[in-house]
Every structure is written in structure tokens, then in C-alpha cells.
């Protein structure tokens, strides 16, 4: 079997850098080319970095010159601030994907394409099923941001598959990733000294540890796993449970006020939690991962609770309020209520 020649987009971010470095260390991989608009801060091993914008048709020349046979498209951005604004983010996510797919379609050497997607495409609503399978349609399509971009990207990928059925295509719908080096809106959300929640709601969340995300991408790059797969750790956490595990006191806020807090936090550059994610804080989201285990052949090492606990340890999160003090206050309130009942008893 001829050693593989791999192209990885988005290598300036932690997950892309980890994938490129791991592939470059594999004896079965002859060449790894890492593509991004800015140089990576991490050492990529044998990876050859090419400073290129996938929105530019010249990406076809990079693929053709190196005779690339495997493409890992990881350059989907969830944070508008990191992209330089919502307009730039949409161009990178959607226009960039279109140009990359056009380059792969023209290629005579590409035989495998792996695309990082997101479970955000399912949206979040009160009408959601207990678990989304890969074949289900969202009850409410994402109206903007990363989720809407992902829906468009997957649509273009399906069209590409019809035009080039000879190329094996794998689409990986990742749940929210937490782990070392991951800087995401959700990670910053749990680092707030006081965590705002939606009054009257306690959504279910699923998480994926970054080491499992890396393992799934490497397995997909190795071949034999075409199709679309939900990727998440087993189990769920209620948002209230996650907030307690992070040692943060919750701040229940009426639904309309949450959007205002989100916009204020974005303007102050505290955290960019896009408006389309507010529904997630109310309704949450959970997906079925049977196909990941039985067809793709991978079971995540970290469950959702274990991934979150690892995140808490890695970030060194400490309780904002002394737990013993909370227990004392609770006991005091219970004693006061008991005394009042005794006084009011006939």
C-alpha cells in the first residue's frame, strides 16, 4: 500500500495541530501538509505548513502539486471573534468549504475526504426528541451562526458525494469539545464566577473530550468509515449538575434577559456566546451514538461526565463560594423553617 499524502485544514487551532502532528508521526503517512491563514504556534512535527486561504481557488494547486489522497477539513470556525466577525466566519466556513470541495472534485488523486461538522445542526427546541440519530431532521433549523453554516456545509458535501461517488466521504458531527487547550464559548461560560442559566430550564448537555475527537479523526483518516456519524461521550449532564461540578453558583435569568446578557458579554469581550446558542442553554441537545460504536467502530474513552470532570481539573476551577459555607447557610435556613413550623403549630 502506497504511503498516504494528507492535507489538513485549520492547523493553527489546537485540534487541527494535534491531528497534523499525529499523522506526521505515523509511518504509513508519507506527507502531511497543514493549511491555515496564520502560522501555527505549536510544533507540527514533520508537517509542512502552507500559508493559504481555502477561500482562494489556489488551494487546488496545493492539492494537485502534492498529489494529496486524503483531505481532512477541520477549518470550521464556531467563534465569530476568532474569525474577525460574523461575515468573515461565514466566508471561511461556507465559501472556504465550497472552494475546497471544488479542488477535491478536480483532483485525480484524492480518494478520501473527512469533514468536521457539529451536532449544532440539530438545533435546540422544546420539540426535540430524546436523542437525535444521524437520519433525523432538526425540529427547528439553526437560524444563524455556526449551526446554520454547518447545515450549508453538509449540503455542499452531499452534493460533492453525488458528483464524485468514487471518493469516500466521512462527516463527523462533534458534540461540544472540552479538553486541554480548547478555548470555546462553552469552556469560557463555565469559567464565569457566576454562571447565568435560563430561569425554569435545566437542559441536557453532551460533551466530547478532545482526546476522543483526535482519535476519531485519525481513525477516519485511516479509511473504511464513510458516512455520517454523531460523535459524543456516553451519557449526559444536566446543566445544573455541570455548574455544580465546576464549583460555580448559578444565576437564573428570565429567557428574554439571557440574550441581552449574551450581547453585553460579547461587546465587553468577556465571552462570545452567539445568540443562536441561547436555545441550547434552555433546551440542550443529545444525540444517539450507536452508529459511531457499531459502524465506525469507536467508543469514546471519556463519558460526558468524565470529560467535564477532566475539564474542571485541567482548568483548575475552584468553587467561587466556599461549599462549607453554602452547607451552613442551608442548614440555618432549614432550622429557621423548622422553628417557624413549631411556633405556628396549634
Amino acid at each position: 500500500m502506497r504511503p498516504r499524502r494528507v492535507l489538513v485544514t485549520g492547523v493553527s487551532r489546537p485540534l487541527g495541530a494535534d491531528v497534523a502532528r499525529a499523522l506526521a508521526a505515523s509511518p504509513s503517512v508519507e506527507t502531511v501538509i497543514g493549511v491555515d491563514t496564520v502560522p501555527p504556534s505549536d510544533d507540527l512535527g514533520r508537517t509542512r505548513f502552507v500559508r493559504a486561504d481555502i477561500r482562494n481557488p489556489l488551494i487546488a494547486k496545493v492539492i494537485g502539486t502534492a498529489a494529496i489522497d486524503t483531505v481532512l477539513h477541520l477549518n470550521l470556525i464556531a467563534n465569530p471573534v476568532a474569525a474577525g466577525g460574523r461575515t468573515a466566519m461565514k466566508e471561511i466556513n461556507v465559501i472556504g468549504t465550497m472552494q475546497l470541495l471544488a479542488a477535491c472534485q478536480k483532483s485525480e488523486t484524492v480518494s478520501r475526504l473527512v469533514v468536521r461538522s457539529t451536532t449544532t445542526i440539530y438545533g435546540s427546541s422544546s420539540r426535540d426528541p430524546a436523542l437525535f440519530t444521524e437520519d433525523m431532521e432538526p425540529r427547528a433549523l439553526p437560524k444563524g451562526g455556526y449551526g446554520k453554516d454547518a447545515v450549508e456545509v453538509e449540503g455542499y458535501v452531499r452534493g460533492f458525494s453525488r458528483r464524485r461517488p468514487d471518493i469516500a466521504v466521512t462527516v463527523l458531527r462533534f458534540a461540544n469539545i472540552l479538553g486541554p487547550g480548547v478555548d470555546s464559548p462553552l469552556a469560557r461560560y463555565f469559567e464565569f464566577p457566576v454562571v447565568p442559566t435560563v430561569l425554569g430550564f435545566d437542559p441536557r448537555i453532551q460533551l466530547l473530550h478532545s482526546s476522543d475527537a483526535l482519535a476519531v479523526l485519525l481513525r477516519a483518516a485511516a479509511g473504511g468509515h464513510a458516512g455520517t456519524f454523531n460523535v459524543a461521550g456516553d451519557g449526559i449532564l444536566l446543566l445544573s449538575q455541570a455548574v455544580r461540578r465546576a464549583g460555580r453558583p448559578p444565576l437564573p435569568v428570565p429567557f428574554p434577559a439571557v440574550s441581552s446578557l449574551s450581547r453585553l458579554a460579547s461587546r465587553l469581550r468577556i465571552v462570545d456566546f452567539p445568540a443562536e446558542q441561547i436555545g441550547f442553554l434552555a433546551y440542550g441537545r443529545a444525540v444517539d451514538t450507536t452508529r459511531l460504536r457499531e459502524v465506525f467502530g469507536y467508543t469514546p474513552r471519556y463519558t460526558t461526565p468524565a470529560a467535564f470532570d477532566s475539564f474542571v481539573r485541567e482548568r483548575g476551577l475552584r468553587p467561587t463560594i466556599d461549599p462549607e459555607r453554602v452547607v451552613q447557610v442551608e442548614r440555618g435556613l432549614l432550622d429557621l423553617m423548622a422553628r417557624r413550623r413549631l411556633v405556628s403549630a396549634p
Side-chain angles (χ1 to χ4, degrees):
M1 180 178 178
R2 185 175 70 86
R4 290 175 295 149
R5 296 170 173 265
V6 185
L7 181 137
V8 182
T9 69
V11 294
S12 292
R13 282 179 290 281
L15 183 58
D18 288 345
V19 169
R21 188 165 45 247
L23 287 170
S26 172
S28 66
V29 177
E30 177 182 340
T31 302
V32 180
I33 294 180
V35 175
D36 215 321
T37 55
V38 294
S41 57
D42 296 329
D43 176 25
L44 301 183
R46 291 191 299 115
T47 300
R48 179 158 64 91
F49 174 70
V50 175
R51 188 166 186 165
D53 191 332
I54 61 172
R55 291 171 290 182
N56 192 310
L58 288 177
I59 191 66
K61 184 176 182 180
V62 176
I63 292 175
T65 301
I68 295 296
D69 55 64
T70 302
V71 174
L72 278 78
H73 181 31
L74 313 183
N75 199 31
L76 292 180
I77 300 175
N79 188 346
V81 173
R86 172 60 187 141
T87 300
M89 172 180 158
K90 184 175 181 63
E91 288 181 355
I92 294 170
N93 288 346
V94 179
I95 305 302
T97 298
M98 291 174 64
Q99 291 290 359
L100 182 66
L101 293 176
C104 291
Q105 184 173 332
K106 295 175 183 176
S107 171
E108 297 180 356
T109 58
V110 172
S111 61
R112 181 165 302 281
L113 171 66
V114 179
V115 178
R116 173 189 175 177
S117 188
T118 170
T119 57
T120 305
I121 69 160
Y122 298 117
S124 294
S125 81
S126 59
R127 297 178 290 114
D128 287 351
L131 296 173
F132 278 104
T133 68
E134 291 86 348
D135 300 323
M136 287 182 177
E137 295 293 329
R139 299 297 190 268
L141 280 170
K143 296 180 180 178
Y146 182 45
K148 187 173 186 295
D149 290 354
V151 170
E152 294 186 39
V153 164
E154 286 203 17
Y156 289 121
V157 171
R158 285 192 295 272
F160 169 82
S161 294
R162 290 191 293 270
R163 293 188 296 273
R164 288 293 305 267
D166 57 309
I167 295 179
V169 177
T170 303
V171 176
L172 302 170
R173 293 174 177 167
F174 287 148
N176 285 288
I177 298 174
L178 291 180
V182 174
D183 183 16
S184 68
L186 190 65
R188 294 190 182 189
Y189 170 78
F190 284 116
E191 292 177 326
F192 280 176
V194 177
V195 177
T197 59
V198 182
L199 182 64
F201 294 83
D202 196 7
R204 300 167 304 144
I205 62 174
Q206 266 183 322
L207 302 170
L208 179 67
H209 194 274
S210 56
S211 65
D212 282 316
L214 172 62
V216 168
L217 285 165
L218 294 177
R219 189 175 181 86
H225 307 289
T228 299
F229 302 92
N230 292 331
V231 186
D234 289 342
I236 61 166
L237 276 176
L238 296 177
L239 183 60
S240 60
Q241 294 174 324
V243 171
R244 284 197 299 271
R245 286 171 184 252
R248 266 46 187 163
L251 176 63
V253 178
F255 206 137
V258 178
S259 296
S260 300
L261 283 176
S262 173
R263 288 192 294 270
L264 177 61
S266 295
R267 284 198 295 270
L268 296 177
R269 295 188 177 275
I270 298 172
V271 64
D272 187 75
F273 205 80
E276 67 272 8
Q277 293 293 326
I278 301 304
F280 178 73
L281 293 182
Y283 305 114
R285 184 187 311 113
V287 298
D288 183 275
T289 57
T290 301
R291 189 178 293 180
L292 176 72
R293 297 190 305 272
E294 296 183 358
V295 179
F296 191 85
Y298 184 81
T299 299
R301 291 176 53 242
Y302 287 81
T303 63
T304 287
F308 190 80
D309 290 344
S310 174
F311 160 75
V312 170
R313 290 192 300 271
E314 186 261 329
R315 296 298 173 100
L317 297 182
R318 296 290 183 270
T320 305
I321 300 175
D322 184 358
E324 290 298 325
R325 179 60 178 162
V326 173
V327 171
Q328 291 173 8
V329 171
E330 288 178 346
R331 287 174 178 169
L333 289 172
L334 290 172
D335 290 344
L336 178 60
M337 292 171 64
R339 288 196 299 271
R340 285 186 174 179
R341 282 196 297 269
L342 287 173
V343 171
S344 62

